[in-house]
């Protein structure tokens, strides 16, 4: 990774750390939870070698970017604003956007709020869910899964941080990044989600102990609060996004998901992403189902890289 350059950029009132490589059309790679730019290590050099200017930021609250204290500073309005500032810094009117997990959600909302700045979107594992008319998002998860749902548990400031602190950082990373659970993450009554997740005794082939330690070391520096604040802003997002109720995402989009991802089979995700409602809200949509779990850009790095490149080529090979 020696050819990857690192810098911090002032955008939207915060300092954002980015990893950057290559020249050509701009591609933003947006990570999820619990991750930072390093989760795109395979795609950064691959895409740069194929003629793209690749920028993988640490999203606010994560890695070496600033971490505002208030959960209210982690709405999609803030996160999209950070990325608009990033595009302006590079003097680019448009960028390709690739995101996994929370990064996918940010990519969806960048495409919703500022479609003029997005040339094309690749979203991994988190589809676009239109805003509910009737009740805020956390209540939806509470009604569907109960108080043991990880999203519900993450709402209370400090609760997850205290639970995580019972383990060393490397173990926390293993529990999340290497989870092979296929049902939605719901802990039994009275149990914290971090205790419910298992620690695998054998690592999968796609990641090493040393790579997991990179994650552990970075979160030991930053702590988890910034990353958890994304979940704590979910209901505020619901309030703020009311003006976009029913809006469609019109930018060209490729959506990829692992067939072993959380809830893919058990809670109807497969039916949703292959069905008409999803395509109704994202008309210019291609869906690809891969063999893998949630952190698929690492687990199936070459396959995901090839899928991203084939999508980008539709626009840049004209």
């Amino acid at each position: 990774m020696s050819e990857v350059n690192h810098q911090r950029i002032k955008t939207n009132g915060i300092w954002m750390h980015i990893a950057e490589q290559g020249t050509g059309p701009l591609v933003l790679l947006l990570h999820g939870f619990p991750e930072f730019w390093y989760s795109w290590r395979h795609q950064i050099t691959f895409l740069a070698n194929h003629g793209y200017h690749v920028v993988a930021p640490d999203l606010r609250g994560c890695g070496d970017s600033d971490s505002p204290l208030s959960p209210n500073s982690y709405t999609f309005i803030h996160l999209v604003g950070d990325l608009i500032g990033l595009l302006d810094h590079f003097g680019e009117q448009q960028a390709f956007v690739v995101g996994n997990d929370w990064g996918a959600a940010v990519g969806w909302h960048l495409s919703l709020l500022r479609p003029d700045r997005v040339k094309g979107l690749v979203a991994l594992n988190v589809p676009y869910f239109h805003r509910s008319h009737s009740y805020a998002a956390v209540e939806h998860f509470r009604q569907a899964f109960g108080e043991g749902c990880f999203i519900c548990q993450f709402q209370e400031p400090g609760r997850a941080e205290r639970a995580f602190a019972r383990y060393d950082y490397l173990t926390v990373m293993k529990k999340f990044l290497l989870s092979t659970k296929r049902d939605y993450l719901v802990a039994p009554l009275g149990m914290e989600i971090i205790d419910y997740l298992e620690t695998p005794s054998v690592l999968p082939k796609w990641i090493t102990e040393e790579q997991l330690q990179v994650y552990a070391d970075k979160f030991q520096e930053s702590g988890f609060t910034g990353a958890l604040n994304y979940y704590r802003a979910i209901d505020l997002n619901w309030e703020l996004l009311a003006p976009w109720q029913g809006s469609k995402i019109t930018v060209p989009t490729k959506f990829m998901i692992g067939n072993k991802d959380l809830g893919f089979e058990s809670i109807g995700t497969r039916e949703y992403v292959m069905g008409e409602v999803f395509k109704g809200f994202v008309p210019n949509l291609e869906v690809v189902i891969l063999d893998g779990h949630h952190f698929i850009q690492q687990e199936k790095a070459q396959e995901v890289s090839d899928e991203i490149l084939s999508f980008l080529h539709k626009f840049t090979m004209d």
Side-chain angles (χ1 to χ4, degrees):
M1 300 298 290
S2 59
E3 300 139 332
V4 176
N5 298 312
H6 296 266
Q7 59 173 313
R8 274 161 61 89
I9 291 169
K10 191 78 172 188
T11 172
N12 194 23
I14 66 165
W15 286 99
M16 173 176 273
H17 168 262
I18 65 165
E20 177 185 17
Q21 189 175 8
T23 58
L26 179 61
V27 181
L28 300 183
L29 302 179
L30 311 179
H31 65 81
F33 173 90
E35 299 177 289
F36 62 112
W37 74 266
Y38 185 71
S39 66
W40 295 106
R41 59 195 177 279
H42 303 292
Q43 287 75 31
I44 292 172
T45 298
F46 176 83
L47 294 173
N49 287 342
H50 282 83
Y52 293 92
H53 176 200
V54 186
V55 173
D58 290 342
L59 299 177
R60 65 166 58 204
C62 303
D64 293 321
S65 291
D66 284 355
S67 184
L69 292 176
S70 171
N72 293 344
S73 295
Y74 291 81
T75 70
F76 287 127
I77 306 297
H78 294 88
L79 299 164
V80 168
D82 295 346
L83 298 180
I84 295 298
L86 202 55
L87 265 64
D88 290 346
H89 170 84
F90 289 112
E92 296 284 357
Q93 175 58 31
Q94 287 190 316
F96 294 106
V97 180
V98 183
N100 181 53
D101 185 78
W102 270 108
V106 176
W108 287 120
H109 285 85
L110 175 60
S111 301
L112 176 70
L113 303 177
R114 293 300 305 270
D116 58 310
R117 306 303 296 268
V118 183
K119 197 164 189 177
L121 171 67
V122 179
L124 276 63
N125 284 321
V126 172
Y128 177 68
F129 294 107
H130 63 282
R131 181 183 181 275
S132 167
H133 286 276
S134 51
Y135 45 75
V138 174
E139 184 58 29
H140 164 79
F141 288 105
R142 186 172 286 112
Q143 289 187 18
F145 303 108
E147 292 292 343
C149 175
F150 74 104
I151 289 173
C152 299
Q153 288 196 358
F154 287 175
Q155 294 306 303
E156 180 187 333
R159 175 180 173 178
E161 292 92 328
R162 290 189 296 272
F164 290 9
R166 295 199 293 270
Y167 301 90
D168 63 81
Y169 285 87
L170 182 60
T171 299
V172 174
M173 291 298 110
K174 287 180 177 179
K175 281 173 171 279
F176 278 110
L177 295 177
L178 307 183
S179 176
T180 56
K181 290 187 181 297
R182 298 197 192 184
D183 289 336
Y184 213 63
L185 290 186
V186 181
L189 190 64
M191 180 182 283
E192 295 295 318
I193 204 74
I194 194 69
D195 300 326
Y196 174 63
L197 292 171
E198 298 161 356
T199 308
S201 55
V202 179
L203 298 185
K205 293 179 180 179
W206 56 269
I207 199 164
T208 66
E209 191 87 8
E210 291 73 23
Q211 290 168 335
L212 286 163
Q213 191 64 52
V214 173
Y215 283 99
D217 291 344
K218 188 55 63 180
F219 275 95
Q220 188 160 8
E221 292 175 16
S222 67
F224 290 104
T225 297
L228 289 164
N229 278 341
Y230 284 65
Y231 297 93
R232 293 163 187 163
I234 285 177
D235 278 352
L236 183 54
N237 277 323
W238 182 82
E239 294 180 24
L240 294 174
L241 291 170
W244 290 271
Q245 183 78 46
S247 294
K248 295 182 179 182
I249 290 176
T250 57
V251 303
T253 303
K254 175 181 275 192
F255 176 70
M256 289 187 272
I257 189 167
N259 61 355
K260 302 180 182 74
D261 191 30
L262 297 170
F264 181 70
E265 297 287 0
S266 63
I267 64 170
T269 304
R270 176 193 284 275
E271 291 75 14
Y272 176 72
V273 301
M274 299 304 294
E276 294 305 312
V277 175
F278 187 30
K279 291 183 175 65
F281 279 98
V282 191
N284 197 347
L285 176 69
E286 174 189 357
V287 175
V288 177
I289 298 175
L290 302 175
D291 181 24
H293 298 83
H294 190 65
F295 299 99
I296 201 162
Q297 80 274 31
Q298 299 178 74
E299 181 184 5
K300 294 296 175 71
Q302 191 59 54
E303 195 171 352
V304 169
S305 296
D306 289 340
E307 289 283 356
I308 295 170
L309 186 63
S310 71
F311 179 78
L312 300 185
H313 274 175
K314 292 179 180 179
F315 306 89
T316 54
M317 299 303 285
D318 293 341

